Amino acid sequence: MANSERTFIVIKPDGVQRNLVGEIIKCFEQKGFRLIAMKLIQASEDLLKEHYIDLKHRPFFAGLEKYMQSGPVVAMVWEGPNVTNPVDSKPGTIHGDFSIQVGRNIIHGSDSVESAEKEIGLWFQPEELVDYKNWVYE
């Protein structure tokens, strides 16, 4: 796929507990993005410390880490044109439609191609990324 990039998305515990996994996947599918990896995981303290390393000195870090360990999360890798563009919270977006509070914002998405590469490497082994022909685009 021309101009394709990958992004890392994690559906946080509140999204899993509110049974929104299918709805969130549907949003990415309807945009035409391709799912290339997905797993349900109980994130470890070490994984979360590495994932959120830039936030470790922020006053909310301990609460964020506790929240992210409070239940399973769904980690995914999506591929497509401009897939790392951050979404805003307007109606029709995942945050706009499903988030209840800033601290319970349903998903995390990589904010750049570089961040996506790092985060994908933390959460997935290379052999877990599935490469298959995309029949949507020529």
Side-chain angles (χ1 to χ4, degrees):
M1 187 179 334
N3 300 319
S4 185
E5 56 191 38
R6 291 180 175 175
T7 195
F8 173 75
I9 299 292
V10 65
I11 303 174
K12 296 179 179 181
D14 57 320
V16 174
Q17 292 172 12
R18 290 177 54 205
N19 298 313
L20 294 173
V21 174
E23 289 294 321
I24 292 167
I25 290 171
K26 180 180 173 183
C27 292
F28 285 93
E29 288 178 332
Q30 287 179 330
K31 286 281 199 178
F33 298 132
R34 182 169 80 141
L35 180 64
I36 61 170
M38 180 172 68
K39 61 183 166 183
L40 180 71
I41 182 174
Q42 184 73 42
S44 70
E45 183 178 341
D46 289 340
L47 175 60
L48 293 170
K49 281 188 188 309
E50 185 64 28
H51 179 85
Y52 289 114
I53 197 162
D54 295 341
L55 303 175
K56 70 180 181 181
H57 297 297
R58 303 292 295 268
F60 58 82
F61 179 76
L64 173 62
E65 185 178 44
K66 183 178 178 182
Y67 154 62
M68 289 297 290
Q69 287 185 291
S70 69
V73 299
V74 176
M76 300 177 284
V77 179
W78 289 90
E79 186 175 70
N82 300 314
V83 74
T84 57
N85 278 353
V87 295
D88 54 29
S89 294
K90 296 178 182 171
T93 65
I94 293 169
H95 285 140
D97 287 351
F98 301 121
S99 293
I100 296 173
Q101 297 176 320
V102 172
R104 300 293 182 261
N105 58 1
I106 304 293
I107 67 167
H108 161 82
S110 302
D111 61 4
S112 68
V113 173
E114 296 76 22
S115 293
E117 288 175 5
K118 177 185 165 228
E119 293 169 349
I120 291 167
L122 283 173
W123 291 77
F124 290 93
Q125 297 299 315
E127 62 272 12
E128 293 178 298
L129 304 177
V130 179
D131 190 20
Y132 58 95
K133 177 153 179 61
N134 186 332
W135 294 99
V136 176
Y137 303 101
E138 290 192 60

